[in-house]
Amino acid sequence: MSVRSTRLLIAILFALVLSVLLIPIFSSRVFVVMILAAAIGWLIKAAFVRKPSSAAGAANRVDKQTAQQFALNKLFDATMNGMREGLLVVNEDLQVVASNRAAHQLFPFAAARLNSERLTSLTRNTQIYNAFLDAIKTRTEQSGLRVEIAAGRMFDLRVVPLTDVDGLGTHGALGVFFDITRLERLERVRQEFLSNVSHELRTPLTAILAFVETLETGGLDDKENNLRFLEIIRKNASRMHGLIDDILELSAIEAGTVQVTPEEIELRPIVNDVINSVIAKAEARQVAIVNQVDPAVVVYADPRRLEQMLTNLIDNAIKFNREDGRVIIEHSSGERDRIMVADTGDGIPSQHLPRLFERFYRVDRARSRDLGGTGLGLAIVKHLAKAHGGEVTVESKLGEGSLFTIDLPRGDGEASAVSRSENISEPIAGAAHHSLN
């Protein structure tokens, strides 16, 4: 390889390395990395295949070639170790002759001896072995292979042969492992979301169509039942409307298009507004709602979004409470503000708690639908809390009830007021009030 071509290759490699490190789009990174892999392969082939040279003048070129080889080795190491993609180079005997830091993380059991082992010693995955073997035997690129390495990590594997310039001989193969674990996970989430949305919409839509058909075939003349049929249609239409609203709201929050503007606000009036909006449901189920937030408490949050979070939590606490139960809203202050909504319902089995804030996740699907839930309320609360720089958590005991806590950072200004020593328990008019034990 001439000095001029070597310098040109070095410049190309540096440009490609910067492209790999800076390009965030997966498809673009794949294209650039494959070009980079080809360039690295050129270097490796130059090391594997040396053209014979005459003895004349060889001594005068030794120092120059040594310095050039040293620079190439340094560039080779920096290029490979700067890549996020795992890269393996094997010879024609399927023995690893070069690898980068990312590849060492893929095969941790052989990390200390990666560059001297045969491929079969690194992995028992036949897809990986066959991809390298086929690339060497057929002298063609092997691509589009999805392989699983370690627990739950998925990779797109591409292997290119390292051939002579004339293409007659193969001296090994170079494989690039693109981590697609996150893409696979997002694809599963997308499929689950579409499946859940279809299922949630199908149920009320089926009911609407069935009762419309009933009315069309003589139900309108049934004076005893026609109004009941229309009420069922209205109820299911409202359910579909609520579901679509929640989907759009959640999508906007997750996309970051929802504006959250925190400010110092009094918490107690917001809690009272929320309670007034759900008081009819509480009275229907004979559930008492108690606002124990001190009037002096000030929190740092977006008023509208905080009201939205509290509405979802308090509404759930009413739905899944027992008759003559209670919903208690409290506040505690420390390094962060904690707003707590507790109920005296049946509680939630512990195995459901880790997934409770997932979209469409329900502990009791039938009961949730009967009560008008969309399965998205807690997911909305979770994302709104994150948008504030906080989080929402849940604790629950079977037979005792559940406690949901919104944890919010405190503002840069004055600290939120600490509740006074005396407890203020203000029952809302129309709801039964029980003393707290």
Side-chain angles (χ1 to χ4, degrees), residues 94 117-124 129:
L94 294 179
E117 289 296 316
R118 291 181 63 83
L119 194 60
T120 51
S121 300
L122 302 183
T123 177
R124 293 290 186 266
Y129 179 84

Side-chain angles (χ1 to χ4, degrees), residues 78-286:
T79 301
M80 293 182 68
N81 289 323
M83 295 171 58
R84 283 182 285 179
E85 291 75 17
L87 192 147
L88 279 183
V89 182
V90 301
N91 59 20
E92 59 268 28
D93 298 321
L94 294 179
Q95 183 179 21
V96 179
V97 296
S99 61
N100 66 349
R101 189 177 294 113
H104 283 240
Q105 297 173 356
L106 300 183
F107 306 101
F109 298 108
R113 48 189 173 81
L114 195 61
N115 288 0
S116 60
E117 289 296 316
R118 291 181 63 83
L119 194 60
T120 51
S121 300
L122 302 183
T123 177
R124 293 290 186 266
N125 192 312
T126 56
Q127 283 184 291
I128 297 175
Y129 179 84
N130 290 334
F132 279 90
L133 183 62
D134 291 344
I136 295 173
K137 284 186 175 181
T138 64
R139 301 174 189 171
T140 58
E141 177 183 340
Q142 306 296 309
S143 61
L145 300 173
R146 276 174 163 72
V147 296
E148 184 174 359
I149 304 176
R153 294 188 65 187
M154 293 296 298
F155 292 84
D156 180 273
L157 173 60
R158 300 192 178 192
V159 185
V160 294
L162 301 176
T163 60
D164 293 335
V165 176
D166 53 16
L168 298 178
T170 304
H171 300 278
L174 181 149
V176 184
F177 295 81
F178 297 92
D179 192 342
I180 58 172
T181 305
R182 184 170 179 270
L183 292 177
E184 290 283 312
R185 187 182 302 116
L186 290 175
E187 179 62 19
R188 285 196 301 271
V189 169
R190 186 187 69 84
Q191 292 176 354
E192 289 176 3
F193 178 75
L194 291 176
S195 176
N196 284 325
V197 169
S198 300
H199 181 74
E200 294 294 333
L201 289 175
R202 185 185 299 116
T203 303
L205 188 58
T206 300
I208 290 173
L209 292 174
F211 282 100
V212 166
E213 184 179 349
T214 301
L215 290 172
E216 288 176 340
T217 56
L220 284 173
D221 300 325
D222 186 351
K223 296 181 179 180
E224 294 183 1
N225 294 307
N226 55 11
L227 291 179
R228 182 173 65 85
F229 294 160
L230 290 173
E231 175 60 24
I232 293 173
I233 292 174
R234 188 201 62 77
K235 178 181 178 182
N236 282 278
S238 297
R239 178 179 165 190
M240 290 178 63
H241 185 271
L243 177 62
I244 292 171
D245 281 347
D246 282 352
I247 291 172
L248 294 175
E249 179 75 9
L250 183 58
S251 297
I253 295 170
E254 290 181 339
T257 58
V258 170
Q259 186 71 27
V260 174
T261 309
E263 60 183 76
E264 290 188 348
I265 54 173
E266 294 180 357
L267 178 58
R268 187 178 179 84
I270 289 183
V271 174
N272 282 337
D273 289 342
V274 172
I275 294 175
N276 286 328
S277 69
V278 297
I279 193 62
K281 294 180 181 179
E283 290 177 339
R285 295 185 56 83
Q286 298 181 354

Side-chain angles (χ1 to χ4, degrees), residues 40-66:
I40 293 173
W42 187 11
L43 283 175
I44 295 171
K45 286 186 287 185
F48 284 155
V49 184
R50 299 178 184 277
K51 295 181 179 179
S53 59
S54 62
N60 295 332
R61 295 195 298 270
V62 169
D63 291 341
K64 183 180 292 185
Q65 290 176 349
T66 302

Side-chain angles (χ1 to χ4, degrees), residues 12-61:
I12 293 173
L13 283 175
F14 271 122
L16 289 172
V17 169
L18 288 175
S19 299
V20 169
L21 296 177
L22 296 177
I23 293 177
I25 303 174
F26 177 75
S27 58
S28 302
R29 285 177 57 82
V30 170
F31 176 73
V32 175
V33 168
M34 293 312 298
I35 297 177
L36 181 58
I40 293 173
W42 187 11
L43 283 175
I44 295 171
K45 286 186 287 185
F48 284 155
V49 184
R50 299 178 184 277
K51 295 181 179 179
S53 59
S54 62
N60 295 332
R61 295 195 298 270

